[in-house]
Amino acid sequence: MSVDALALLVNALALLVNALALSVDALALLVNALALLVNALALSVNALALSVDALALLVDALALLVDALALSVNALALLVNALALLVNAMALQVKRFVYTLVPIQRGKDV
């Protein structure tokens, strides 16, 4: 075998080793890409869980708003009742005042 043929064989072997190294690097990149894909999927699942939690919080806030509205209506009803009691009390005071001014004459036509 001549020296040139031996040099070509060594170069071919070196190219083969480089190709093998590149294949290993490509495989490592593929594994890294797969890991990134798994991480992205995990982040998507976490984002979905956060969205569900946010929706649950929104429903809770809406329920609290409805409860606050009901309490406001109840407070308004209590205020109306208190106003009615005040009007009744004033009417009783007016009747009492009128009865003290106009004595009742029993048995006589007025």
Side-chain angles (χ1 to χ4, degrees), residues 9-81:
L9 186 60
V10 169
N11 283 339
L13 187 59
L15 286 175
L16 185 62
V17 169
N18 285 339
L20 184 61
L22 286 176
S23 297
V24 169
D25 289 344
L27 184 61
L29 287 175
L30 186 62
V31 169
N32 285 338
L34 185 61
L36 287 175
L37 185 62
V38 169
N39 285 339
L41 182 63
L43 286 175
S44 296
V45 169
N46 286 341
L48 182 63
L50 287 175
S51 297
V52 169
D53 288 346
L55 183 62
L57 287 175
L58 187 61
V59 169
D60 288 346
L62 185 61
L64 286 175
L65 186 62
V66 169
D67 288 346
L69 182 62
L71 286 175
S72 297
V73 169
N74 287 341
L76 185 60
L78 287 174
L79 186 61
V80 168
N81 286 339

Side-chain angles (χ1 to χ4, degrees), residues 83-94:
L83 187 59
L85 287 174
L86 182 62
V87 168
N88 286 340
M90 289 174 62
L92 284 175
Q93 290 298 326
V94 167

